[in-house]
């Protein structure tokens, strides 16, 4: 059993990281009071933008690592730009936030595949190479922990964990974080205290777009290597992780690791002899069944921000 865990764990970390950064984006949006179920669509936009950028730069720049980081940056910017649509509809027009997010999910796959076919001649965009996993010298030789956490790791893993720490600090230890949380709980009180609720909510939604776009591109540069017009529903798993993690950064880390393991079982089963004997269809649906069960068990005790999903109109024009 331990040998099986050692085999799966490095893969699980790889699948966890895109979920983690996307769920963190959803955290900022919902903590500010705007429900963003368009995370899956924003991930698709990020995956498309990142892969297209890398596709064109890899043959023209010698520093391939820099190309990958530029692709991730472009993906975050594109995700942020498309999240503006959701922000404008939800905050300025007081539109139904669920419908707005659903619209982003519906348009993302179709628009990106259409653009890919017209730009590259194919609906898929394959990159030459992504980040390579490596062992961390010294730390990888630590008994037990070294094999689990410091073997076959990507530089993006440590970058996203750093973003997690910064996000937790900003959310709970800064004035901006306090204002953002107050807008998601009691926006009227926040406005009475002089907080610009609309501006804070825009900040939350834009961060969710940037993080989701980054999450989509991370899939391309780590384990996928090719844009196909979908992220296999990982945006919805990120939403489930947000609920499962009780809208808290460390809770989200635990939830995404849980779902990362479930996704790993489904995706690497054919290369692990102990799992190869299980029918593939069962393993493919495993992460989504686990998600449904987790939501059923924990949805009653979940405590979402009180004003999440509620339009706010200050009366100021």
């Amino acid at each position: 059993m331990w040998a099986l865990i050692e085999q799966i764990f490095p893969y699980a970390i790889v699948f966890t990281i895109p979920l983690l950064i996307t769920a963190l984006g959803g955290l900022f949006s919902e903590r500010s009071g705007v429900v963003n179920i368009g995370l899956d669509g924003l991930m698709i936009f990020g995956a498309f933008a990142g892969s297209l950028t890398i596709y064109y730069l890899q043959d023209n720049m010698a520093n391939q690592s820099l190309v990958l980081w530029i692709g991730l940056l472009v993906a975050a910017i594109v995700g942020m730009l498309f999240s503006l649509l959701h922000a404008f509809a939800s905050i300025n027009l007081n539109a139904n936030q669920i419908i707005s997010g659903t619209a982003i999910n519906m348009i993302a796959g179709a628009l990106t595949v259409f653009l890919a076919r017209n730009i590259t001649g194919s609906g898929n965009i394959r990159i030459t190479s992504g980040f390579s996993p490596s062992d961390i010298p010294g730390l990888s030789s630590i008994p037990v922990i070294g094999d689990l956490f410091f073997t076959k790791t990507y530089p993006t893993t440590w970058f996203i964990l750093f973003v997690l720490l910064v996000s937790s600090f900003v959310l709970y230890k800064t004035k901006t974080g306090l204002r953002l949380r107050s807008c998601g709980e009691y926006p009227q009180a926040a406005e009475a205290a002089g907080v610009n609720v609309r501006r804070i909510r825009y900040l939350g939604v834009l961060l969710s777009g940037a993080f989701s776009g980054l999450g989509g591109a991370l899939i391309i540069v780590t384990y996928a290597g090719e844009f196909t017009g979908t992220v296999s529903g990982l945006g919805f798993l990120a939403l489930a992780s947000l609920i499962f993690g009780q809208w808290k950064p460390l809770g989200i880390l635990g939830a995404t690791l849980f779902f990362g393991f479930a996704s790993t079982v489904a995706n690497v089963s054919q290369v692990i002899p102990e799992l190869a004997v299980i029918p593939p269809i069962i393993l493919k649906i495993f992460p989504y069944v686990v998600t449904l069960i987790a939501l059923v068990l924990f949805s009653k005790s979940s405590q979402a921000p009180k004003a999440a999903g509620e339009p706010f109109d200050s009366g100021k024009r």
Side-chain angles (χ1 to χ4, degrees):
M1 175 60 77
W2 180 251
L4 179 60
I5 293 175
E6 286 185 333
Q7 281 184 287
I8 291 178
F9 205 88
Y11 294 106
I13 297 296
V14 174
F15 283 105
T16 295
I17 292 303
L19 279 176
L20 174 59
I21 191 63
T22 304
L24 279 177
L27 171 68
F28 277 101
S29 182
E30 297 207 8
R31 279 289 194 171
S32 72
V34 179
V35 173
N36 189 355
I37 69 166
L39 298 180
D40 196 77
L42 293 171
M43 287 185 77
I44 293 174
F45 282 123
F48 166 74
S51 59
L52 188 65
T53 301
I54 296 169
Y55 175 80
Y56 278 111
L57 291 182
Q58 279 192 323
D59 293 333
N60 299 314
M61 292 181 63
N63 192 333
Q64 295 298 299
S65 179
L66 179 60
V67 169
L68 297 176
W69 286 109
I70 292 174
L72 293 177
L73 176 62
V74 171
I77 293 172
V78 170
M80 185 183 296
L81 291 175
F82 276 97
S83 70
L84 275 172
L85 298 174
H86 181 56
F88 180 75
S90 302
I91 300 169
N92 293 84
L93 303 181
N94 289 338
N96 186 298
Q97 296 171 12
I98 303 300
I99 294 176
S100 176
T102 301
I104 291 178
N105 288 333
M106 292 179 67
I107 195 175
L111 179 60
T112 53
V113 169
F114 171 79
L115 291 174
R117 285 178 177 173
N118 282 274
I119 295 174
T120 67
S122 169
N124 297 353
I125 303 174
R126 179 180 290 274
I127 64 174
T128 305
S129 62
F131 286 108
S132 300
S134 61
D135 298 345
I136 298 181
L139 296 178
S140 60
S141 60
I142 299 175
V144 181
I145 296 177
D147 289 335
L148 294 180
F149 295 100
F150 303 111
T151 301
K152 298 179 181 178
T153 65
Y154 290 87
T156 50
T157 298
W158 303 106
F159 172 68
I160 298 305
L161 290 176
F162 174 73
V163 173
L164 171 67
L165 293 176
V166 172
S167 298
S168 184
F169 176 81
V170 169
L171 203 58
Y172 293 108
K173 301 295 183 181
T174 66
K175 289 182 180 179
T176 301
L178 176 61
R179 290 170 179 172
L180 187 137
R181 287 184 288 122
S182 66
C183 290
E185 297 288 345
Y186 303 105
Q188 291 81 9
E191 186 187 40
V195 176
N196 189 322
V197 176
R198 285 190 172 187
R199 184 180 300 169
I200 293 295
R201 287 192 168 183
Y202 258 97
L203 174 64
V205 177
L206 289 177
L207 282 174
S208 75
F211 284 9
S212 298
L214 181 58
L218 283 171
I219 295 172
I220 305 298
V221 299
T222 51
Y223 62 85
E226 182 180 24
F227 172 77
T228 60
T230 179
V231 291
S232 302
L234 289 185
F236 298 107
L237 283 181
L239 273 175
S241 301
L242 181 61
I243 299 170
F244 193 31
Q246 293 291 298
W247 291 268
K248 297 177 181 178
L250 293 182
I252 289 174
L253 175 61
T256 52
L257 188 58
F258 173 75
F259 290 124
F261 261 100
S263 298
T264 302
V265 169
N267 286 280
V268 302
S269 58
Q270 299 306 308
V271 297
I272 297 178
E274 291 86 347
L275 296 176
V277 297
I278 303 174
I281 186 64
I282 294 177
L283 295 172
K284 287 295 182 183
I285 66 173
F286 179 70
Y288 306 100
V289 172
V290 169
T291 302
L292 289 173
I293 294 173
L295 289 177
V296 168
L297 292 177
F298 292 93
S299 60
K300 288 186 178 180
S301 60
S302 63
Q303 297 179 345
K306 292 181 176 62
E310 298 180 4
F312 176 76
D313 191 351
S314 65
K316 297 178 181 179
R317 293 290 186 267

